[in-house]
Amino acid sequence: MRIVVAGLLAAVALIPAAEARGRWTEAQAKAWYDRQPWLVGANYAPATAINQLEMWQAETWDPKRIDYELGLAQGIGMNTMRVFLHDQLWTQDPEGFKRRIDEFLTIAKAHGIRPLFVLFDSCWDPDPKPGPQHPPIPGVHNSGWVQGPGLPGLRDRSRYPAYKAYVQGVVGAFAKDDRVLGWDLWNEPDNGADQYKGQEGKEPLVRAMLAQVFDWALDADPTQPVTSGVWWHDDWTPTGGKLTAMEKLQLNRSDVVTFHDYSWPETFEARVRQLLPYGRPIICTEYMARGNGSTFDGSLPIAKRYNVGMMNWGFVDGKTQTRLPWDSWQKPYVLAEPTIWFHEVFRNDGTPYRTAETDLIRRLAAAPKGVVPDASAPAARRRR
C-alpha cells in the first residue's frame, strides 16, 4: 500500500499546474473592447467618504448615497466608474469586504454602470490605518486619501503573502462577473507623493511588487482585462527609447492601455497618438483639471473621435474636497474658494457644477462610437 500511495503522489507531482492566464493578444483585447459601449465615467468615491477606507468599511458604508450618486451618473450617460479598493479592507474583514463589493456591483448594475476596480495606489498618505479616518483638512485637496499598501507595508516582506491573498481573493471572487469592467492593478505606481517626507527608495519596491501583482491577478484567471496606467512622462512611443522601467512594465503587461492626462487638449491628443502604435484599446483613467487646462469640452470630443474611453477625476463634491486645486497643499483655500472648481461634476446637492458640461457628456455618450455630434464638433476642431 505504501508503494502504491507513493507512486500516486509521485504521479500527481508530475502533473503540470494549471497555467495562469497570459496577457491578452491584441486581437483578444480588440474583441473585448468592440463589445463595450464608448466608455465614459469618473473616478468615484461617495461624497460621504474621505478615502477608500471610509468608503468601504462597514461602519461608514453608505449604499443609499452611492445609489443616489450613481443615479446622477446614469442621468448624464455615464456607463463606468473607476473605484479604489484597499488591501487593509481585505485584511480587516475579507468576507464583509466581498459582500460590500457585491452590493456595490448590484447598485451599479441597476444604473447601467460597470466599474474598473483599482487594487493599489502610490498617491497621498503613505501610512494608511484602518478604522475611523480623520476629518477633511479645511481648504486642502484630497487631504485624507491614502496609499495602498503604504510604505511601511512595502518595506515589510512578511506582509506580501497577505497582499497576494488580497489580490487573488478579490479578483478571484469576481473574475467571471460581467458586472466588473476590469482591474486597474496599481494607480500611478511611480508617484512620489512628495507632499509626504521619508519615501526614499519607494519606486523599486513598488516596481518589484507590481510585477508580482500582475502574476497574482492573472493566476485568478479573470475574464476582464488587467492594466496599470502610465501617467507623467512626455513620450510613450514604443520606439522612442525614453520609457522608464516602470512604464515598460506597465505597457508590456497590460491587456489594455490606460493613461492619465491633466493637460491641454493638444497634449492630450499627442499622448493618445503616442499610444496608438501599441495596437490595443486605450482608456484615459484620469483627466479633467479645469485650472490646469484639462476640460470636458477640450478632451472629450477628441477622445470620442479616437474611441478612447474616458474617466475624469472626481464626481460629487464631498469630503475629498477635490474641487480645490493641487496647490491647496501649499496654500489652503480657507478664506476663499478658487475662482473655478478644479475637479467634480456635481455639487453636493446633486446639481451640476456646469450644465454645459453634463449636457456635453450626455450628448457624446449617446452618439455612436467614433462620432462627435455636430454641436460639439466645432469646439473640438478649434482645439486641434
Side-chain angles (χ1 to χ4, degrees), residues 359-373:
D359 287 347
L360 174 66
I361 295 168
R362 188 182 297 109
R363 188 163 63 248
L364 289 173
K369 281 186 175 180
V371 175
V372 179

Side-chain angles (χ1 to χ4, degrees), residues 141-161:
H141 170 111
N142 230 1
S143 62
W145 203 260
V146 292
Q147 294 184 35
L151 197 53
L154 281 169
R155 290 172 172 162
D156 185 353
R157 297 287 302 183
S158 70
R159 300 190 195 183
Y160 280 47

Side-chain angles (χ1 to χ4, degrees), residues 214-285:
F214 272 104
D215 293 337
W216 298 338
L218 292 178
D219 278 345
D221 194 25
T223 57
Q224 313 94 345
V226 301
T227 188
S228 177
V230 292
W231 68 281
W232 68 273
H233 204 252
D234 290 331
D235 188 356
W236 294 323
T237 53
T239 57
K242 297 180 180 179
L243 294 173
T244 67
M246 185 74 81
E247 290 168 336
K248 290 177 182 177
L249 170 64
Q250 293 172 281
L251 290 166
N252 289 337
R253 298 212 59 185
S254 292
D255 293 323
V256 299
V257 171
T258 54
F259 77 104
H260 297 174
D261 177 79
Y262 287 109
S263 301
W264 294 91
E266 295 82 359
T267 301
F268 173 81
E269 183 168 12
R271 286 179 167 169
V272 169
R273 292 178 67 85
Q274 290 171 8
L275 296 171
L276 289 173
Y278 290 93
R280 293 177 178 271
I282 301 172
I283 304 172
C284 179
T285 51

Side-chain angles (χ1 to χ4, degrees), residues 13-29:
L14 292 174
I15 297 174
E19 291 186 7
R21 166 167 95 68
R23 184 196 190 198
W24 282 352
T25 64
E26 291 179 17
Q28 287 174 312

Side-chain angles (χ1 to χ4, degrees), residues 75-322:
I76 61 172
M78 288 184 168
N79 51 36
T80 187
M81 288 283 169
R82 184 169 180 250
V83 183
F84 287 71
L85 309 177
H86 201 282
D87 62 281
Q88 291 185 5
L89 295 160
W90 178 265
T91 303
Q92 181 186 55
D93 178 17
E95 293 306 316
F97 187 28
K98 284 192 293 186
R99 284 195 302 271
R100 288 185 286 279
I101 293 174
D102 183 74
E103 185 177 3
F104 180 86
L105 288 169
T106 299
I107 295 168
K109 183 177 180 180
H111 294 291
I113 289 169
R114 297 170 66 222
L116 175 70
F117 285 124
V118 184
L119 297 184
F120 295 100
D121 189 358
S122 285
C123 297
W124 307 104
D125 189 341
D127 192 13
K129 292 181 173 61
Q133 303 298 294
H134 68 75
I137 299 172
V140 176
H141 170 111
N142 230 1
S143 62
W145 203 260
V146 292
Q147 294 184 35
L151 197 53
L154 281 169
R155 290 172 172 162
D156 185 353
R157 297 287 302 183
S158 70
R159 300 190 195 183
Y160 280 47
Y163 303 147
K164 179 179 180 180
Y166 159 59
V167 171
Q168 298 193 329
V170 172
V171 177
F174 301 98
K176 307 295 187 287
D177 196 323
D178 289 340
R179 298 174 298 174
V180 176
L181 180 71
W183 305 97
D184 189 342
L185 301 185
W186 206 305
N187 177 60
E188 299 190 356
D190 45 353
N191 190 314
D194 297 332
Q195 299 86 350
Y196 297 88
K197 297 179 180 179
Q199 297 194 81
E200 296 77 16
K202 185 174 80 169
E203 191 274 347
L205 294 173
V206 173
R207 181 156 36 95
M209 183 172 155
L210 177 55
Q212 295 182 75
V213 174
F214 272 104
D215 293 337
W216 298 338
L218 292 178
D219 278 345
D221 194 25
T223 57
Q224 313 94 345
V226 301
T227 188
S228 177
V230 292
W231 68 281
W232 68 273
H233 204 252
D234 290 331
D235 188 356
W236 294 323
T237 53
T239 57
K242 297 180 180 179
L243 294 173
T244 67
M246 185 74 81
E247 290 168 336
K248 290 177 182 177
L249 170 64
Q250 293 172 281
L251 290 166
N252 289 337
R253 298 212 59 185
S254 292
D255 293 323
V256 299
V257 171
T258 54
F259 77 104
H260 297 174
D261 177 79
Y262 287 109
S263 301
W264 294 91
E266 295 82 359
T267 301
F268 173 81
E269 183 168 12
R271 286 179 167 169
V272 169
R273 292 178 67 85
Q274 290 171 8
L275 296 171
L276 289 173
Y278 290 93
R280 293 177 178 271
I282 301 172
I283 304 172
C284 179
T285 51
E286 287 187 27
Y287 78 104
M288 211 291 289
R290 296 180 185 91
N292 211 53
S294 177
T295 61
F296 288 114
D297 69 309
S299 296
L300 268 184
I302 298 171
K304 187 63 186 286
R305 183 162 57 87
Y306 283 98
N307 194 25
V308 170
M310 296 291 279
M311 302 177 190
N312 67 278
W313 186 270
F315 190 59
V316 177
D317 180 40
K319 293 177 77 172
T320 62
Q321 299 182 158
T322 56

